[in-house]
Amino acid sequence: MREQFPILQRKINGHDLVYLDNAATTQKPQVVIDAMNDYYTNSNANVHRAVHTLAGEATDGYEACRESLKKMYNSDKVIITSGTTEAINLVAHAWGKANLSAGDAVVLTEMEHHSDIVPWQMLAKEMNIELRYVPVQQDLTLDMEIFEASLDGAKLVCVVHISNVLGVCNPVDEIISLSKSKGAKVLLDAAQSAPHQYIDFKSLGADFMAFSAHKMCGPTGIGALLVTNDVFDEMQPFMGGGDMIETVSIHGSTFQSNEHKFEAGTPKIAEAIGWNAALKWMQEIDFKSEHKRLLEIARWLSEQLRSMGMTVYGRHDDNDAAVVSFLHPTMNSEDLAHLLDARGFAVRTGHHCAQPLLERLKISGTVRASFYFYNTREEAEAFVKQLSEILERFA
Ligand code: PMP
């Protein structure tokens, strides 16, 4: 496994790289790099608009990614976006503007990433929409009583499947069925869950699901919005331009009826080809056993950190992700991360684009170690050893 990721051979400050920043972005296997190189080397052309061989190859490569996503996540419609952020903004503009009116309520949670808060705040201001935030409780769960109460008259519920700060997996089955029973649509932010589990979009029952390729061994700059057929028909084009139209005259335009309607302009061709290679590569992974293995590492690491006097912000229940957020009682997080980097460890610090959650937890940031398929227990052990040495010397 590790040999397939060329970057893992790198030395950082003279030490073997231990990459524990996977919730921010994952590394790319050679097959993904090769697929993108091959496209630029041998097949580079624009899609859809020409009959020549290269254009055909580029089009097939781009559309193959959509087909793989449709199969893998069981979705009728897959709109290719630049990532989770653009996918959520697309829902706000393409669905929100056409289906919400002044006074309507949108339910969010305090656990959302900024990308699932700011677009709604912008829309709320523009359209005079009410935003209702579901609080996060001391035990890091959502307050489901307040959630249920907030559904009264709500048109849309936006919820993160797995928190990028806490690794907590929210009870999305319950959230979706309660929302549906009150007639509200559901947007699932699957940026942190799609990389770790097969999600059957149709069975899950959400209306929208957003995620990014770069968090699942694919390239940056590409992601997807899954949409049900019913909700797809309620969406109005957001960006206008080439590829999304059927006809254009000086009197007006008509639009494509399929996903292209929401993919104006030259799309992310190399990225789609790279992502498709990543999706194929992931088919070899046993998601369930990998989840178990990584969660065990996260549980072990959390215990070690607690015994070193750290506060760990996470619970690591069976469905939670292998994300370990922690704080030292006195030592500055950035200093700690710099000292770890000097020894080859890549961890993230800061607010992780989830300031409302951190406000609720009464902290301004955490140090976060997040694990993916290529991480090992030995790396976690080395992390603990180096961290102990750092604390002995500097804390
Ligand atoms: N939601 C969650 C839960 C995330 O972790 C992230 C990325 N940190 C995003 C949304 C935004 O993803 P992107 O930056 O790829 O658009």
Side-chain angles (χ1 to χ4, degrees), residues 371-391:
F371 294 80
Y372 209 43
F373 304 139
Y374 36 75
N375 289 125
T376 63
R377 167 76 180 234
E378 288 72 30
E379 286 180 313
E381 286 169 2
F383 182 70
V384 167
K385 186 166 176 276
Q386 292 300 323
L387 199 55
S388 312
E389 281 183 24
I390 289 171
L391 295 184

Side-chain angles (χ1 to χ4, degrees), residues 315-332:
R315 48 172 206 180
H316 304 111
D317 275 7
D318 288 349
N319 291 327
D320 291 355
V323 173
V324 182
S325 261
F326 61 94
L327 278 179
H328 186 267
T330 53
M331 196 160 170
N332 177 281

Side-chain angles (χ1 to χ4, degrees), residues 23-25 82-88 111-116 160-165 189-193 210-215 221-222 352-353 368:
T25 200
S82 66
T84 309
T85 305
E86 190 184 287
I88 295 171
M111 218 186 268
E112 299 312 300
H113 187 277
H114 293 167
S115 64
D116 203 22
V160 65
H161 194 174
I162 291 182
S163 162
N164 60 315
V165 182
D189 174 351
Q192 296 292 342
S193 55
F211 53 107
S212 302
H214 68 94
K215 292 187 197 283
I222 187 166
H352 314 299
C353 295
R368 183 184 70 187

Side-chain angles (χ1 to χ4, degrees), residues 109-154:
T109 84
E110 286 180 347
M111 218 186 268
E112 299 312 300
H113 187 277
H114 293 167
S115 64
D116 203 22
I117 295 176
V118 184
W120 302 111
Q121 290 177 337
M122 290 161 76
L123 194 72
K125 202 165 171 200
E126 192 180 323
M127 296 183 71
N128 199 16
I129 285 162
E130 181 196 349
L131 299 183
R132 298 174 182 164
Y133 291 88
V134 180
V136 175
Q137 306 177 108
Q138 279 295 310
D139 64 358
L140 309 180
T141 60
L142 297 172
D143 187 325
M144 292 302 285
E145 257 178 52
I146 296 189
F147 171 69
E148 261 195 89
S150 71
L151 285 175
D152 232 8

